[in-house]
Amino acid sequence: MLRINMFSSADKVKGQGVGSAYIELINMLNKHFSTEFDISINKFKQSDISHYHTVDPQFFISTFFKKKRGTTIGYVHFLPETLEGSLTLFSPFKKVFDWYLIRFYGRMDQLVVVNPTFIPKLVDAGLKEKRITYIPNFVSNKKFYEATIDEKNNWRKNYHISEEKLVILGTGQIQQRKGIDDFVQLAIDNPDVQFIWAGGFSFGKMTDGYERYKKIYDNPPKNLLFTGIVDREEIMKLYNLADVFLLPSYNELFPMSILEAFNCGTPVMLRDLDLYHAIIDEQYISTTNISDMNEAIKKIKDNPEILEEYKEKSKKSALYYSEENVAKIWYDYYKRSAKEEN
């Protein structure tokens, strides 16, 4: 039995994608490979593989005890540039953190990226390409699935939303990087549409632009509902009651929210980023700016049947990024990594 020790503090901060990805992976491994893998969490004991999900200082120190750690694998959920617009960090401290992050990744025997576009960026930072592997994120189709029409309508009633109302959902931390300013402006520009943003301030006052966004959060447009941070069961309901999932982010990795929306059969609209082309090209409504988003919303209001095409694309993408497919990839990767090190 392969001994795999997970090092992570991702589940301590609610409402962030890194935590969701970590939880999904742990659940998947325990479900499919309980007799193949002995999974432990944050145990500084002998193991065949040590898989690092977060970059905590105590985890960094643990990498110097090589004999106990076995093969070390780093999960690359973010790069220095992806933190721009997320957290307010004192400039000298940010430079130190950026250095530390790359140094942490450099301590790993192997790295796993959630998006292939990160590979050349890591190589540019001095890391060896042969040590880097792309494995996509996934979500469980048992927790995120398309509900029945009756369930969707009942969940709308709980939010006092009529069956006929066009609903556009956004999710994630309330921060500049997520494009929250455009989302708010879209609500102002489309008063006949119900906008919902599920998420809050996971890092409190450290959030970039916290004071400004807190004022908007407390006094939003009448047709914009901020739910705050909600649990995974509630977010599944929100995907289902929405007509469109909109993520206007300026910078992303491989958002769990997109996969969650796909699994619920919800049409997806995105600000078109290069990284999406490598993983979900042509599977979403592509926009480049708020003008495009407004135009797309207008077309949907005039011709709601447009959404049927993207509903089917979401379902197709959900199959490709299914738990079963990704489970086999992880199984083969862990087995190969442990063998290569030994």
Side-chain angles (χ1 to χ4, degrees), residues 248-279:
S249 293
Y250 290 94
N251 201 329
E252 283 291 350
L253 311 183
F254 191 161
M256 293 294 288
S257 56
I258 294 177
L259 297 184
E260 291 165 356
F262 281 162
N263 267 34
C264 295
T266 308
V268 171
M269 183 188 302
L270 304 171
R271 188 189 305 277
D272 197 27
L273 307 177
D274 288 342
L275 63 91
Y276 294 144
H277 297 171
I279 51 177

Side-chain angles (χ1 to χ4, degrees), residues 10-11 13 16-24 232:
D11 54 345
V13 180
Q16 55 154 348
V18 175
S20 297
Y22 166 69
I23 292 169
E24 291 285 3
R232 290 166 69 73

Side-chain angles (χ1 to χ4, degrees), residues 50-53 72-76 104-105 108 110-113:
S50 293
H51 189 164
Y52 294 82
H53 295 258
T72 54
I73 297 173
Y75 213 165
V76 182
F104 190 103
Y105 292 153
M108 301 293 112
Q110 302 287 336
L111 292 171
V112 173
V113 296

